[in-house]
Amino acid sequence: MIDRSEEVRERVRSRYAGLAETADRSPSGCDTGSNCCGTGDPKAAPEEIARALGYDPSELADLPEGANLGLGCGNPHSLAGLRSGETVVDLGSGAGIDCFLAARKVGPEGRVIGVDMTPQMVSKARRNAREHGFENVEFRLGEIEHLPLADACADVILSNCVVNLSPDKPAVLREAFRVLKPGGRVAISDIVATADMSAELLEDGDLLCGCISGAAKIEALEAWLAEAGFEEISIRTWEESRSFIKDWAPGTGVERYVVSASIEARKPAP
């Protein structure tokens, strides 16, 4: 079998580099002419999209300009229960929305590290952190399958609609386990598959970059999490999300195959 992992990464990297470069001109944050994760409404402002995905309006107040690109499929903060002083890692941090929200919650004694493989996203997020005085936030360029982080350095792993884009999801979960401290937890919003897709859908590059064709089934994710060493694994689907997923690729019926889910797990304590 031919390993297409790097081809997949490069396709995804190119798509999200384009989003970063056009964000200032795009009212919705998704201006590629094709589907991307979000509510699917091309006329919706990023703030509207974030509220539809479960973010509280008070969370979104005073965010750095351009940090919210209107992407995602849920709100991982609703799962994380962040506390003052914790260290948080965001997988696929993009322009930084979840990192900046986490920074407020963990406070000056805490630390937030965003990891993204797209240089344009990292540059945008770093600029916002610098210009808005987020001294407890940093952004690192790297792949989520090979995190540029030390062992046992984080209390919480966050991610919003990114793990589905990885061609090696077991590696992502093993890396999450490695960088978490004992007792640390995972809080992920992502797209999961609920039915088998046709070969045509699976091979569609736009659907891959649009967080659809790369989705894994719940049973596979549960097995990969357990194999990585996690316990207290919980994956809950958000059936209402199908109403906006159908607009990510109109006319294809993708909402019959995928749904947004909340994924939680914990690294065993000593």
Side-chain angles (χ1 to χ4, degrees):
M1 179 180 291
I2 298 174
D3 185 358
R4 299 178 59 195
S5 296
E6 193 51 43
E7 177 186 340
V8 170
R9 290 191 187 94
E10 191 52 44
R11 184 185 287 270
V12 171
R13 186 182 289 113
S14 176
R15 171 66 63 84
Y16 287 89
L19 289 179
E21 291 169 348
T22 62
D24 291 339
R25 302 193 302 272
S26 172
S28 70
C30 183
D31 192 31
T32 63
S34 183
N35 57 299
C36 61
C37 48
T39 64
D41 183 353
K43 297 181 180 178
E47 291 77 14
E48 293 178 62
I49 295 172
R51 289 197 295 271
L53 294 177
Y55 289 86
D56 190 282
S58 63
E59 291 182 304
L60 305 173
D62 301 320
L63 279 175
E65 184 178 358
N68 176 15
L69 298 184
L71 305 175
C73 59
N75 178 8
H77 289 272
S78 66
L79 313 173
L82 298 181
R83 297 185 289 269
S84 177
E86 290 189 313
T87 296
V88 180
V89 173
D90 182 17
L91 306 185
S93 49
I97 177 174
D98 288 314
C99 289
F100 297 129
L101 293 177
R104 295 174 178 171
K105 296 176 181 179
V106 301
E109 300 302 317
R111 183 184 184 197
V112 182
I113 304 169
V115 177
D116 201 283
M117 71 172 182
T118 307
Q120 292 86 343
M121 285 290 190
V122 172
S123 294
K124 186 176 182 66
R126 285 174 175 171
R127 183 172 63 251
N128 273 328
R130 182 174 61 252
E131 292 177 354
H132 292 267
F134 281 90
E135 296 182 359
N136 61 339
V137 180
E138 65 176 291
F139 294 93
R140 299 183 183 181
L141 182 65
E143 296 174 351
I144 59 176
E145 300 91 347
H146 311 283
L147 290 172
L149 295 161
D151 295 352
C153 65
D155 298 289
V156 185
I157 296 285
L158 294 179
S159 189
N160 193 350
C161 214
V162 172
V163 176
N164 75 85
L165 296 169
S166 172
D168 191 352
K169 297 170 185 62
V172 174
L173 300 176
R174 289 194 298 269
E175 280 290 88
F177 188 89
R178 178 182 67 80
V179 304
L180 279 173
K181 300 174 184 177
R185 58 200 186 276
V186 163
I188 295 173
S189 293
D190 217 322
I191 294 297
V192 299
T194 55
D196 293 327
M197 294 183 219
S198 67
E200 181 181 7
L201 293 178
L202 289 172
E203 294 170 6
D204 189 315
D206 282 340
L207 295 185
L208 171 66
C209 295
C211 304
I212 295 170
S213 64
K217 286 192 172 181
I218 292 173
E219 296 82 0
L221 287 166
E222 289 175 334
W224 294 332
L225 284 161
E227 289 167 5
F230 286 102
E231 60 184 20
E232 299 180 36
I233 299 166
S234 171
I235 301 178
R236 293 172 288 111
T237 58
W238 177 24
E239 291 299 320
E240 293 85 347
S241 65
R242 297 187 196 268
S243 65
F244 61 75
I245 289 173
K246 67 181 175 63
D247 295 323
W248 292 1
T252 63
V254 293
E255 70 278 7
R256 301 196 301 268
Y257 303 97
V258 297
V259 68
S260 179
S262 299
I263 301 169
E264 298 177 85
R266 188 176 295 273
K267 183 173 181 174

